[in-house]
Amino acid sequence: MTEFTPFVRKDMLEPRDPPGNQQGPIAWARENLFSGPMNTVLTLLGILAVGWLALHIIPWLMHSVWNANSLSECRAIIAQTWGPDATGACWAMVRERWHQYVFGFYPMDLYWRPTLAFLLMLVAIAPVLYQSLPRKMMWFTALYPFICYWLLWGGTLWAPIVVLAGFGLFALAFRFAAPKLGVPVSAGLGLLAAAVWWLFVQTPLSTALNGIIPLSIRDVDSDQFGGFLLSIVIGITAISASLPMGILLALGRKSDMLLVKSLSVMFIEFIRGVPLITLLFTASLLLQYFLPPGSNFDIILRVIILVTLFAAAYIAEVIRGGLAALPRGQYEAADALGLDYWQAQRLIIMPQALKISIPGIVSSFIGLFKDTTLVAFVGLMDPLKGITAVVRADINWKGIYWEPYIFAGTIFFLICFGMSRYSMWLERKLKTDHR
């Protein structure tokens, strides 16, 4: 009979590294680039395409010229430095005309006003984007649109103050009427009071106050706006105004009140069924016919209104999708807590729906900001088509093609990429599940 001697290991074995073909770049390439015949062929074709582009783009960028007064001078410098057959980018155009891309035809001695408005905008949106900042900063956020308008367009300071007083009148009417008449009726009365104030009291009162205490700065016409100043003004205003309008339209479409639901559905479907360029032509040409004779409705303001309505219809559908994704138990929980409709929407329903809808909302915002280039079709100088056409019409830069579009496209990419990165950060921050 064979005897067995038990063996118990006293020391742990040192861990060994996995084989080289199962970790590191080789394993990643095998799994992602060469996992099969089709993937291998596509990878090789992609490498060939990237290599072909690099062979043409890198020398063009390496031969860039930053100091020149014309395109012909750029080409002469490239030929003298890298040979007669060399090609290169002429970024001297950007160096000479950057102020038009940024400010359009805004007076150069007043560049401090849009610059100050932009810096104040960063302060105003900070408490909206980052919840850790003091909530008292929201007061400045509410006042910023009036400050920005006065800085950009100029004129008397009393005009935005009197307009702001109309919103104060709406708030007072809503506050005193809401306990007795309910939210919808009170909101209607507040809007009526504010509309009467803006239509019949605003202009005479601001003119009288400016005559007593003149507080004004130099006026700037809307046709002097252009470049990224115009795109940011239209884009940021439309983004800020379209989100609350989209929320109301989404709630209206899901409302049990037939009239409210019907009006919301008709508005959303009509706006979504019409191209944006059609609405811009309406703002530029047709809207003036419906105004009283002699009225002067600023073209940029008309464009902002129509772009805002267009974006609100799309955002309403995005938010409606978020509302539809919520389980019925959330509504029942709000009813069990004894909350009325508006309290339930503000505290329980809408925060969850907005969190679900963040990707769609930000996608709509990015598309809206890029669509601001369409204002070129109504005579406004956007940075991509309007300002580029002006620059290329100059005899010194006639014939330049790629550089202005690459420069404007890069700025658009940086802004839109920043919006998408913030969206992803906000999604991670608001993520409550651990899956």
Side-chain angles (χ1 to χ4, degrees):
M1 179 177 175
T2 305
E3 295 184 1
F4 293 94
T5 303
F7 173 77
V8 178
R9 184 180 297 278
K10 298 180 179 179
D11 300 325
M12 295 295 294
L13 292 176
E14 294 293 332
R16 297 180 180 180
D17 295 331
N21 60 355
Q22 296 183 10
Q23 68 171 352
I26 297 178
W28 181 89
R30 176 179 295 177
E31 180 180 353
N32 296 279
L33 302 179
F34 304 100
S35 59
M38 180 61 69
N39 201 5
T40 301
V41 171
L42 293 177
T43 298
L44 294 177
L45 291 176
I47 292 174
L48 292 175
V50 172
W52 182 85
L53 290 174
L55 288 175
H56 289 78
I57 294 176
I58 292 178
W60 186 73
L61 294 175
M62 295 295 292
H63 300 164
S64 298
V65 175
W66 289 92
N67 294 305
N69 296 318
S70 65
L71 180 60
S72 58
E73 185 177 343
C74 272
R75 290 172 175 172
I77 294 174
I78 293 171
Q80 182 180 1
T81 307
W82 291 284
D85 296 330
T87 59
C90 185
W91 301 114
M93 178 277 306
V94 176
R95 185 173 179 270
E96 181 178 329
R97 296 299 188 95
W98 68 269
H99 58 280
Q100 285 189 333
Y101 276 97
V102 176
F103 299 105
F105 299 98
Y106 208 87
M108 296 186 68
D109 58 323
L110 300 180
Y111 280 175
W112 65 271
R113 283 163 50 175
T115 303
L116 178 60
F118 178 76
L119 295 177
L120 293 178
M121 182 193 72
L122 299 180
V123 178
I125 65 175
V128 178
L129 300 180
Y130 301 101
Q131 299 294 322
S132 59
L133 295 176
R135 294 293 89 193
K136 293 182 179 180
M137 293 180 63
M138 293 295 294
W139 287 105
F140 179 76
T141 303
L143 295 175
Y144 172 75
F146 306 96
I147 299 174
C148 179
Y149 176 84
W150 181 64
L151 284 175
L152 294 180
W153 274 270
T156 174
L157 179 60
W158 292 109
I161 291 177
V162 176
V163 172
L164 182 61
F167 286 97
L169 185 63
F170 166 79
L172 288 175
F174 180 82
R175 179 178 180 181
F176 287 107
K180 298 180 180 179
L181 302 178
V183 173
V185 178
S186 303
L189 291 177
L191 288 175
L192 179 62
V196 171
W197 175 272
W198 290 328
L199 291 175
F200 301 104
V201 181
Q202 172 193 337
T203 302
L205 181 58
S206 60
T207 304
L209 290 174
N210 191 58
I212 299 173
I213 307 176
L215 297 174
S216 61
I217 56 179
R218 178 177 160 188
D219 287 313
V220 178
D221 295 331
S222 292
D223 56 4
Q224 295 177 286
F225 283 65
F228 284 99
L229 171 62
L230 179 65
S231 292
I232 290 176
V233 168
I234 296 176
I236 296 299
T237 306
I239 286 172
S240 303
S242 62
L243 181 58
M245 288 183 61
I247 293 174
L248 293 177
L249 286 171
L251 294 177
R253 185 156 190 168
K254 292 181 67 65
S255 175
D256 295 330
M257 294 184 286
L258 180 61
L259 180 61
V260 173
K261 182 176 182 178
S262 301
L263 292 176
S264 300
V265 170
M266 287 189 294
F267 176 84
I268 292 172
E269 297 302 329
F270 172 76
I271 294 294
R272 294 175 69 218
V274 177
L276 178 58
I277 188 64
T278 304
L279 298 179
L280 293 178
F281 279 122
T282 301
S284 176
L285 302 174
L286 300 180
L287 191 60
Q288 195 71 20
Y289 290 104
F290 298 96
L291 298 175
S295 59
N296 185 17
F297 199 6
D298 189 272
I299 178 62
I300 295 181
L301 182 58
R302 282 182 272 165
V303 168
I304 288 175
I305 293 174
L306 268 299
V307 172
T308 301
L309 296 178
F310 182 83
Y314 282 86
I315 292 175
E317 288 300 281
V318 173
I319 295 176
R320 186 171 71 93
L323 292 172
L326 288 181
R328 183 63 189 171
Q330 299 297 316
Y331 296 89
E332 295 174 351
D335 294 336
L337 292 174
L339 302 178
D340 60 24
Y341 176 81
W342 294 105
Q343 290 175 334
Q345 293 294 336
R346 181 171 60 89
L347 299 175
I348 295 179
I349 306 302
M350 194 53 64
Q352 299 181 73
L354 290 177
K355 185 181 74 169
I356 296 172
S357 307
I358 286 176
I361 292 174
V362 176
S363 296
S364 299
F365 287 166
I366 292 175
L368 170 62
F369 184 74
K370 292 187 294 184
D371 285 343
T372 56
T373 56
L374 295 177
V375 300
F377 292 100
V378 295
L380 295 177
M381 290 295 172
D382 75 298
L384 191 62
K385 187 177 184 297
I387 298 298
T388 297
V390 171
V391 172
R392 296 182 65 202
D394 189 347
I395 191 64
N396 293 323
W397 304 108
K398 199 170 186 64
I400 198 167
Y401 187 78
W402 290 105
E403 292 86 343
Y405 292 110
I406 291 175
F407 173 71
T410 301
I411 302 300
F412 271 106
F413 170 78
L414 292 176
I415 295 175
C416 296
F417 183 75
M419 294 170 65
S420 67
R421 293 300 96 182
Y422 173 79
S423 169
M424 296 178 65
W425 173 83
L426 188 61
E427 287 183 68
R428 291 193 299 268
K429 182 180 178 181
L430 297 179
K431 188 174 181 180
T432 54
D433 58 322
H434 301 284
R435 292 180 295 175

